[in-house]
Amino acid sequence: MMPASAIFFYVIAAAILVTAILSVTTRRIFRAAIWLLLSLMGIAGIYFWLDMNFLAAVQIVVYVGGIVVLIIFSVFLTQGSGQSLPLPAKFRLFFSAVAVSLGLAFTIWILQGYGFLATAPEVPAVEMREIGKTMLSVQSGGYALPFELVSILLLAAMVACIAIAMKIPADKKND
Amino acid sequence: MFLKEYISDVYQGVRSLLKGMKKTGYYFVHPSEIITQQYPDNREQLHLPERFRGEVVMTHDENNEHACTGCTACELACPNGTIKIITKFDVSPEGKKKKAIDTFIYHLELCTMCNLCIEACPTDAIKMAQTFEHSVFNRNLLTKKLNLPNSKIREGVE
Amino acid sequence: MFSFQQLAQQTHAWLQQHTGSFTVLVECAIVAVFAITLFAVLGLVLVLLERKVAAHIQIRVGPNRVGPAGLLQTVADTLKLLMKEGLVPNLADKFLFNLAPFIVMMVAMLLLAPVAFARGIQIWDINIGVLYISAISSISVIGILMAGWSSNNKYAMLGAMRSGAQIVSYELSAGFSVLCIVVLSGSLRISDIIAAQENGWWIFKGHIPVLISFVIFIIAVTAETNRAPFDLAEAESELTAGFHTEYSGMRFALFFLAEYINIFIVCAIGATLFFGGWMPLHIAHWEGFNHVMDYIPSSVWFMGKTFALILLIMWFRWTFPRLRVDQLLTLEWKYLLPIGLFNLLLVAIIAIMGWHF
């Protein structure tokens, strides 16, 4: 008999697969975005199931709260987003089927070759404090440099946004 | 200076918001301020304001006499044809003919309670009553005859 | 003395004995039943409370005919909504139209998980508690966008777009004010944050910066729950009802219920962060006073604080006029966000120097 945690895993995994397939096969662009959202939430569910709470929360904040909302906003701005898209051409269907089967075969091959451990080693509970310290640590294994790089990138993007959105007063325009 | 302006903006904004909240908070904790009338329950002690206009009535004194001369000033003043006056000629004992009203017809369903007829009346024969429970099952009941049966004009009213 | 904590532990032990590895499934079912019951009761109570508060603020009497003093008014309203026909517009995207209210409801249910109702009564004491809440609450915007888009109605669409812009921008301010408390408590876990307030609530211990962050928090969550004065998403006078214009019957009731549940949850979070959740009012070194306060059950403390905050938010709603869209964004980006950032700096200094009590 399956333990309860296995039931949870299979339910979540099935939800991820079904919604992922639906998101690429649906012909309405807004529905595709919603299926993608549900699929990403399923992945967050898997992280919660693995007790990787921080990763799960970040998955939701970044992908669900951020990227999917951006996608939905751009769908709103698309003309005719309510109609069904036409079916793709035959040769495109053929080549995407080939690409998908090749990818699937490659993944299965990698999984077959990977020696899974029969019993997983005890995963240490990741404390938020540790994550925060590692993020700002300058020792080896610390993430201070990538963290600062990303901050500078974001700052540059924000300055650029202000530059685009800023209104130049009419009397200064001619100078 | 920018910063000073900014801080004073925030201060003024918060102050005016708190002022509004103080007023509504006062009403919230003072139920005695409630002005709602619980209508069907307080029908006995219901007090309507003096200038409340319910419907047009004609005043009659104890001798069943009214002050309407049938001059039709109210009929002319009415903006939507609520009043219709049917006149007749009374013959006095001396054989003189005198104009008087036969029927003062008032269409309550058309009336907007604008008070123009009351203002137009030269003899104060009609006034606004305080009654307001006008609902009836038949529309015909809203067409009213204001002068009482066998009533006549008061002596001395011209 | 009877306590919920004991009851929960006994139930857990009994279930472990009888159902073995399926304990977790059975407990999930029990929690779901409790959550749904809580939702139904809260919906009835909060709607009635709102109508009564609104009436008293506007010098009216409010519902007073159904049942004693109008207490059964919301029950009657619910019965009416249950029996109404749920219409679906002809050109709507029917699948998403039907799904949207449930997404909104599901988000509200997920948010319930880390809320500590009393000493030891918490569905899931997750170690990222506060982060979990801000993550999950960012999903609620999807339900609103979905409802607005699938209705195929311009009012609904405009309402949804406004609501999206509003929730996405006010999430930042709410996040910053929550961070202030996280910095002071040194933990994201809800139970740790409550334990840190054993000798006094943060609103008293943290000086003026915590007070400022509380004000920012209460403004930001009012905006996030789409309530007046930030109710642009459903502004009756301009957009009829915004994103739920086309909804009727039970689907409308779900949106309505979710709004009130969200108010309860954000007020519960506010009470937990700033007023110590179920922690009684303790003042350091006043042993006698602290003992007296401990006699009041912790669930009463929690509910009292939460309902006090709910009343505050209702007071806002019936006092202030609605903002325009540009005023809404000016308030967030020019006032709340810079003040919140500066305030976080002050709180960090207080926490590092140990100036809080």
Side-chain angles (χ1 to χ4, degrees), chain A residues 1 30-31 37 53 76 129, chain C residues 22 93 127-128 149 161 186:
Chain A
M1 198 163 152
F30 187 74
R31 280 197 190 183
L37 163 105
N53 293 333
F76 279 1
R129 204 178 278 273
Chain C
F22 285 92
D93 190 332
N127 65 351
I128 51 157
W149 189 84
M161 292 286 265

Side-chain angles (χ1 to χ4, degrees), chain A:
Chain A
M1 198 163 152
M2 264 194 295
S5 67
I7 294 176
F8 276 118
F9 174 78
Y10 285 117
V11 168
I12 297 172
I16 294 174
L17 284 179
V18 169
T19 50
I21 290 169
L22 279 171
S23 95
V24 289
T25 52
T26 183
R27 279 162 60 197
R28 296 193 191 179
I29 190 162
F30 187 74
R31 280 197 190 183
I34 295 298
W35 289 123
L36 176 68
L37 163 105
L38 293 179
S39 181
L40 290 169
M41 271 167 73
I43 291 169
I46 286 280
Y47 290 146
F48 275 124
W49 182 79
L50 287 169
D51 257 349
M52 294 292 166
N53 293 333
F54 181 71
L55 194 59
V58 170
Q59 163 88 10
I60 291 176
V61 169
V62 173
Y63 286 102
V64 178
I67 294 193
V68 172
V69 170
L70 276 184
I71 290 176
I72 287 176
F73 265 90
S74 44
V75 167
F76 279 1
L77 298 175
T78 317
Q79 273 189 339
S81 53
Q83 280 105 40
S84 306
L85 297 171
L87 271 176
K90 284 266 162 55
F91 71 95
R92 275 205 224 161
L93 272 178
F94 173 72
F95 281 112
S96 42
V98 169
V100 166
S101 9
L102 279 180
L104 190 65
F106 184 68
T107 316
I108 289 173
W109 180 62
I110 294 275
L111 283 179
Q112 289 293 330
Y114 187 83
F116 283 106
L117 294 174
T119 51
E122 197 62 33
V123 181
V126 186
E127 272 300 309
M128 269 309 297
R129 204 178 278 273
E130 293 304 313
I131 294 172
K133 279 191 177 144
T134 323
M135 198 79 96
L136 293 177
S137 150
V138 286
Q139 267 96 44
S140 76
Y143 288 92
L145 186 65
F147 185 80
E148 289 301 320
L149 272 178
V150 171
S151 316
I152 288 171
L153 193 68
L154 274 178
L155 184 67
M158 275 164 75
V159 171
C161 283
I162 292 170
I164 290 171
M166 193 165 58
K167 272 188 213 149
I168 301 163
D171 53 319
K172 282 192 184 166
K173 236 174 201 170
N174 298 331
D175 296 352

Side-chain angles (χ1 to χ4, degrees), chain B residues 51-69:
Chain B
R51 294 199 293 175
F52 177 81
R53 301 173 194 154
E55 65 172 324
V56 175
V57 291
M58 184 175 282
T59 46
H60 288 74
D61 60 15
E62 61 274 13
N63 303 326
N64 202 12
E65 288 174 339
H66 56 76
C68 182
T69 58

Side-chain angles (χ1 to χ4, degrees), chain C residues 282-303:
Chain C
H282 281 173
I283 296 171
H285 311 306
W286 287 20
E287 296 303 330
F289 179 77
N290 291 352
H291 277 304
V292 171
M293 286 296 160
D294 282 339
Y295 275 106
I296 301 174
S298 55
S299 50
V300 173
W301 276 106
F302 173 77
M303 281 295 167

